Amino acid sequence: MSTTALNDLSRFPIVQAPMAGGASCPELVGAVCEAGALGFLAAGYKTAGGLYQEVKRVRGLTARPFGVNLFMPQDGRPADPAAVEVYRHQLAGEATWYDTPLGETDDSRDDAYDAKLAILLEDPVPVVSFTFGCPAQETFHAFDRVGTYTIVTVTSADEALAAQRAGADAVCVQGVEAGGHQGTHRDDPADEDAPGTGLLTLVTQVREAVALPIVATGGIMRGAQIAAVLAAGADAAQLGTAFLPCPESGAHPLHKQALTDPLFTRTALTRAFSGRPARGLVNRFMREHGPYAPAAYPEIHHLTAPLRKAAAAAGDAQGMALWAGQGHRLARELPAGQLVEVLAAELDTALSDLSGLVPRSAS
């Protein structure tokens, strides 16, 4: 494994994924960083002021490097209003069932991106990553001037090349196994005909395409899997679902329980909750509405937000967005610091085992 600035950010090549929606709270980030991994706040869906307060809380919990993840603005053409209205009508029964109005879909499409950028440039954090696209070269130059390390989430070698050209310091390579939203730079329904690329193949493709350090993410739950992606060419591994059940995680208790509940047997990609493909545990809401959800992010996210909140309040996991990667059944309910230690020990064992493997002679 090469020594890079990325590897200097934490003791172990382990990154806690930024999970928007509350799971990646300051308590989780602080515990992860104190244990020797790199913790990440998720700025998505937060106000700029809310992000500022969470950064302050993390700094009160740890003096070690941590990161903040930003959602790129949805600059493309707004969703078809007619398609959104059709979906609104389809969800009318859910609104009645949960006794809550559906959300408004004319909210901002930029997730207060400029305001959050201003905060992070005025009061810099060690690392900033980007999802759903790649910033302009000027943005990377600005972060470079204040000493912030930058990472762009990519789902293809072409996206990695774009990030390298723009000036990113590293890429986070996301395999199709990953829980939560697919961080594609464009959301084209025509792309859904392709099943997506598995992490090990994708890491190899990106490693051969760019010279940037790689963080690998998607379905990783054990130290041996971390060793596998390092052997494939990554510099670090990012884990999200593995950290969801930690007591420090801000995930809803029903979400934590569902990861290993025999009732939830598989994951799937769906637009049902947000209008963008995201991987979660298959539940009633996903089965009933996923086939009809339009490509309309963030409009559908705003539309379904009250339903998801009401389902959680009612204790109904069948109406919640239970984001999870394909390895969810391997989740362990451990304190975050202990989980980092266990993963690091498993990684050390796996690397030792690998070093003991001697190729047979050609003769």
Side-chain angles (χ1 to χ4, degrees):
M1 185 171 60
S2 62
T3 300
T4 67
L6 174 64
N7 298 134
D8 294 337
L9 292 167
S10 58
R11 179 183 174 192
F12 305 121
I14 299 171
V15 180
Q16 164 252 309
M19 296 172 280
S24 301
C25 59
E27 290 72 23
L28 177 62
V29 176
V32 166
C33 292
E34 284 297 291
L38 180 64
F40 256 93
L41 283 175
Y45 309 135
K46 293 184 176 73
T47 64
L51 170 62
Y52 177 75
Q53 291 301 323
E54 289 206 349
V55 168
K56 284 182 60 177
R57 284 167 58 194
V58 171
R59 286 176 169 148
L61 294 168
T62 183
R64 302 190 182 203
F66 66 96
V68 171
N69 174 257
L70 297 176
F71 285 172
M72 291 295 296
Q74 301 301 292
D75 292 332
R77 185 177 61 186
D80 179 4
V84 174
E85 278 307 301
V86 168
Y87 197 55
R88 177 186 291 276
H89 287 300
Q90 181 176 335
L91 296 178
E94 300 282 352
T96 300
W97 177 257
Y98 291 115
D99 191 25
T100 186
L102 296 170
E104 296 301 322
T105 58
D106 57 355
D107 289 350
S108 171
R109 292 173 55 82
D110 67 0
D111 199 48
Y113 176 76
D114 288 337
K116 292 171 184 176
L117 272 187
I119 287 172
L120 295 173
L121 289 170
E122 177 69 23
D123 190 9
V125 298
V127 190
V128 169
S129 68
F130 303 88
T131 299
F132 300 152
C134 182
Q137 195 172 54
E138 294 75 19
T139 301
F140 291 114
H141 289 165
F143 277 115
D144 187 55
R145 286 193 293 270
V146 299
T148 294
Y149 194 85
T150 51
I151 305 174
V152 173
T153 303
V154 301
T155 61
S156 69
D158 286 343
E159 290 177 352
L161 283 165
Q164 180 172 264
R165 287 193 295 267
D169 292 315
V171 288
C172 180
V173 176
Q174 184 193 45
V176 72
E177 307 95 329
H181 285 95
Q182 292 286 293
T184 53
H185 291 193
R186 68 171 193 167
D187 181 19
D188 187 346
D191 296 337
E192 292 179 30
D193 293 335
T197 305
L199 180 59
L200 286 177
T201 297
L202 188 57
V203 166
T204 304
Q205 290 173 345
V206 173
R207 178 73 293 149
E208 294 185 2
V210 302
L212 297 177
I214 291 174
V215 179
T217 190
I220 301 173
M221 303 292 288
R222 296 287 189 266
Q225 292 172 290
I226 299 174
V229 296
L230 296 183
D235 297 88
Q238 179 173 283
L239 295 77
T241 306
F243 285 100
L244 275 178
C246 295
E248 298 92 342
S249 159
H252 193 282
L254 287 176
H255 192 169
K256 296 181 180 186
Q257 295 164 14
L259 296 173
T260 52
D261 187 334
L263 184 64
F264 301 100
T265 59
R266 64 187 181 92
T267 65
L269 291 171
T270 185
R271 294 183 183 273
F273 297 102
S274 73
R276 229 183 193 275
R279 183 174 298 282
L281 300 175
V282 176
N283 61 3
R284 177 194 62 79
F285 195 101
M286 189 189 296
R287 286 192 299 269
E288 292 183 1
H289 303 294
Y292 312 105
Y297 179 87
E299 288 86 353
I300 302 304
H301 164 77
H302 296 309
L303 184 69
T304 66
L307 297 177
R308 290 178 274 125
K309 184 177 180 180
D316 183 9
Q318 295 295 335
M320 298 169 59
L322 303 172
W323 303 137
Q326 288 183 340
H328 65 96
R329 300 302 290 271
L330 298 171
R332 299 177 280 200
E333 191 177 344
L334 298 172
Q338 185 179 346
L339 178 58
V340 170
E341 293 171 0
V342 169
L343 289 167
E346 291 173 345
L347 170 61
D348 187 58
T349 298
L351 291 177
S352 296
D353 290 344
L354 286 173
S355 67
L357 296 176
V358 180
R360 292 183 179 181
S361 170
S363 61

